[in-house]
Amino acid sequence: MVRLFLTLSPAIPRFNLFPGISILATKLRTKTPAFSLISPSSSPNFQRTRFYSIGTRIYYSLPNSENSNFDDTLVVLGIETSCDDTAAAVVRGNGEILSQVISSQAELLAQYGGVAPKQAEEAHSQVIDKVVQDALDRASLTEKDLSAVAVTIGPGLSLCLRVGVRKARSVAGNFSLPIVGVHHMEAHALVARLVEQELSFPFMALLISGGHNLLVLAHKLGQYTQLGTTVDDAIGEAFDKTAKWLGLDMRRSGGPAVEELALEGDAKSVKFNVPMKYHKDCNFSYAGLKTQVRLAIEAKEIDAKCPVSSATNEDRRNRADIAASFQRVAVLHLEEKCERAIDWALELEPSIKHMVVSGGVASNKYVRLRLNNIVENKNLKLVCPPPSLCTDNGVMVAWTGLEHFRVGRYDPPPPATEPDDFVYDLRPRWPLGEEYAKGRSKARSMRTARIHPSLTSIIRADSLQQQT
Ligand code: KG4
Ligand code: ZN
């Protein structure tokens, strides 16, 4: 039944809402035998590290880890294909971005009004080789200069993830490079550490994208407590649908179009209710707000087929009022939950100084302004990556790969050739952290069967294994 949905449905909202799709598409890759000896890599940077294998992972020790210049010698290629952007970047260990390339599926987005998995997979496949080559060329490097390849392995659409993982393994296999599997949402959070040198653990993060609405407490690399999440849709999905129903140009995705039109509107003219006002937790819900927006659009008899550029003055004003009112309430919901989450986080980790806001929706100026007020009132500092690093990109993957690579979390180089039917380790539904008991949502727990242990629990198990 799920497969039928996959083939018949032209477009789905974002990827984290359809557990069935993931279950069909995911299998675990066979693991490297325990304590296997890894043959030295031909990569000069990889050779520079001493390494040993424990279980399924290699741990390495840096010869000069106290020497900060050492990092300059690490260079990682990051590949991102979890949703609708094909992205690659090359980043140096000191945070220098050597190149960044993104091919977006603007026309497909506009045509289908959302991400269509099969079409998105085809689009990734068509451009992935060129995107990676361009990233290397623009960095004036070849594969031989790399220390490792990092790639998003989840969460995301498995058809799309597979394209990036296949490419990453082929580069790593052909050039004997270690490979780092990256969690997409961790990458959204950690790219803030590339931008803001002062940002050290523990810190808080609000990660807002098309498929996720996460409030997390980052204790240390790979260790997260999930304070809140969405019980249905994420805020980006609500922006995208609002844009589509208002007849806006979807080619840059819905969010920027709503943000732009909202500037012309009166944000208090349409009365929308703030979701989950009386829930004393840090969870989110945007499905109800979407419905309120749809009803307001119907009440004003707005025709989505008539582009806003051709609307009459009155029609355009009505659309702008709805855009502005929606944006205000959507962000009020974020503000209320963030305030509570900061209190919870400070109880757990009183030394927190920063709150990161990242993910595509964090590129919205109104979002940044309003959240800055909340964060400052709590005596914390807001860290928002620049818009180009908030939306999906290869830099965040390369950087997160670097962070894990530095502490020895990576897989050995794959074989140079892999059979066509090789089963990749893809994690379409992969929680970032363990749920904070106080914030657990019954509604959500009933809807979502997890198929993968969280990143945090995997890393915790790995370090326990290392200690024994
Ligand atoms: O992180 P991202 O690039 O991809 C996912 O991981 O989903 O986020 C994409 C989401 C889309 O829903 C898009 O409409 C939204 O971020 N977005 C924005 C803005 N720019 C992107 N939403 C509101 N305002 C923006 N300026
Ligand atoms: Zn994203």
Side-chain angles (χ1 to χ4, degrees):
M1 206 179 112
V2 175
R3 205 177 275 286
L4 193 68
F5 175 83
L6 227 171
T7 36
L8 290 184
S9 167
I12 62 170
R14 297 287 173 141
F15 39 71
N16 76 334
L17 306 171
F18 293 88
I21 293 174
S22 317
I23 289 161
L24 268 179
T26 310
K27 280 184 196 151
L28 277 175
R29 174 166 51 89
T30 47
K31 300 270 185 178
T32 317
F35 301 103
S36 60
L37 273 176
I38 310 300
S39 58
S41 160
S42 62
S43 153
N45 288 328
F46 186 46
Q47 276 176 347
R48 221 168 285 149
T49 64
R50 286 183 283 126
F51 49 86
Y52 56 97
S53 167
I54 294 182
T56 60
R57 275 167 208 282
I58 307 173
Y59 295 85
Y60 78 121
S61 49
L62 300 176
N64 277 319
S65 51
E66 63 287 355
N67 175 0
S68 58
N69 289 334
F70 178 85
D71 260 358
D72 293 354
T73 64
L74 294 180
V75 183
V76 169
L77 165 71
I79 299 178
E80 158 63 41
T81 61
S82 66
C83 195
D84 54 342
D85 291 309
T86 319
V90 181
V91 177
R92 213 183 267 291
N94 61 3
E96 189 186 350
I97 300 170
L98 299 179
S99 66
Q100 186 182 4
V101 178
I102 300 187
S103 164
S104 67
Q105 302 176 4
E107 294 302 329
L108 284 178
L109 262 182
Q111 191 181 341
Y112 291 96
V115 185
K118 194 73 197 112
Q119 283 78 4
E121 179 202 17
E122 273 168 31
H124 283 303
S125 302
Q126 278 167 17
V127 297
I128 186 76
D129 289 343
K130 180 158 171 36
V131 166
V132 169
Q133 193 55 54
D134 280 359
L136 289 167
D137 291 348
R138 286 187 201 184
S140 304
L141 296 177
T142 72
E143 291 88 341
K144 291 200 182 97
D145 302 310
L146 299 173
S147 316
V149 181
V151 61
T152 304
I153 59 171
L157 294 167
S158 44
L159 285 175
C160 298
L161 289 166
R162 179 171 289 113
V163 178
V165 171
R166 196 193 297 120
K167 177 67 184 174
R169 291 183 69 84
S170 126
V171 174
N174 283 319
F175 294 88
S176 296
L177 295 166
I179 187 158
V180 191
V182 169
H183 191 295
H184 182 84
M185 299 314 288
E186 185 184 39
H188 272 308
L190 293 189
V191 74
R193 276 164 55 82
L194 177 152
V195 173
E196 173 64 68
Q197 305 276 319
E198 271 178 33
L199 178 60
S200 51
F201 293 101
F203 62 85
M204 272 201 71
L206 170 70
L207 307 175
I208 36 180
S209 66
H212 295 268
N213 234 88
L214 281 178
L215 267 164
V216 295
L217 170 52
H219 301 277
K220 49 187 174 175
L221 182 65
Q223 297 285 306
Y224 304 91
T225 297
Q226 180 184 297
L227 303 170
T229 184
T230 179
V231 299
D232 43 53
D233 294 334
I235 184 170
E237 156 67 12
F239 265 96
D240 290 339
K241 282 294 179 314
T242 300
K244 184 177 167 190
W245 296 331
L246 286 176
L248 308 189
D249 182 356
M250 296 287 289
R251 273 173 301 181
R252 287 179 304 151
S253 79
V258 172
E259 180 181 9
E260 197 178 305
L261 186 63
L263 293 173
E264 298 173 26
D266 173 357
K268 297 215 173 134
S269 58
V270 186
K271 303 282 171 247
F272 293 131
N273 298 322
V274 182
M276 298 179 88
K277 196 130 185 81
Y278 302 103
H279 291 238
K280 303 285 175 224
D281 60 21
C282 300
N283 290 314
F284 301 92
S285 164
Y286 281 95
L289 181 57
K290 260 167 61 180
T291 306
Q292 292 184 62
V293 168
R294 189 171 48 74
L295 293 175
I297 288 172
E298 279 168 20
K300 293 281 182 195
E301 297 182 343
I302 291 165
D303 178 7
K305 287 195 209 80
C306 166
V308 69
S309 49
S310 323
T312 62
N313 284 348
E314 190 193 347
D315 186 2
R316 187 178 175 101
R317 199 169 50 248
N318 285 338
R319 296 188 203 209
D321 285 347
I322 291 173
S325 303
F326 155 74
Q327 181 173 262
R328 176 174 162 269
V329 171
V331 177
L332 263 177
H333 187 26
L334 294 180
E335 291 171 47
E336 290 183 358
K337 298 298 181 159
C338 277
E339 270 195 302
R340 179 172 297 120
I342 293 173
D343 293 341
W344 286 9
L346 286 169
E347 280 167 22
L348 290 167
E349 295 268 16
S351 63
I352 289 172
K353 304 234 165 3
H354 296 94
M355 167 130 177
V356 169
V357 180
S358 185
V361 183
S363 46
N364 181 300
K365 290 196 190 69
Y366 182 73
V367 169
R368 294 160 92 103
L369 180 79
R370 298 290 301 196
L371 290 175
N372 191 41
N373 294 339
I374 299 287
V375 171
E376 277 188 357
N377 281 341
K378 297 277 183 189
N379 293 321
L380 298 184
K381 188 174 165 200
L382 182 79
V383 183
C384 249
S388 65
L389 296 182
C390 280
T391 46
D392 288 353
N393 62 86
V395 173
M396 68 183 197
V397 179
W399 176 254
T400 303
L402 266 160
E403 291 238 31
H404 284 282
F405 184 70
R406 260 201 292 252
V407 297
R409 283 187 209 124
Y410 51 80
D411 284 329
T417 50
E418 282 178 327
D420 287 346
D421 59 353
F422 185 78
V423 181
Y424 297 112
D425 178 11
L426 308 175
R427 306 174 183 185
R429 292 187 52 78
W430 188 18
L432 181 58
E434 299 299 285
E435 257 178 304
Y436 183 40
K438 209 165 152 186
R440 197 160 287 149
S441 145
K442 283 204 189 84
R444 183 178 155 77
S445 317
M446 281 163 61
R447 283 184 81 243
T448 56
R450 284 181 179 179
I451 59 155
H452 238 289
S454 71
L455 174 76
T456 300
S457 63
I458 293 172
I459 287 181
R460 214 173 269 148
D462 261 358
S463 41
L464 280 177
Q465 194 187 358
Q466 216 183 336
Q467 281 161 22
T468 52

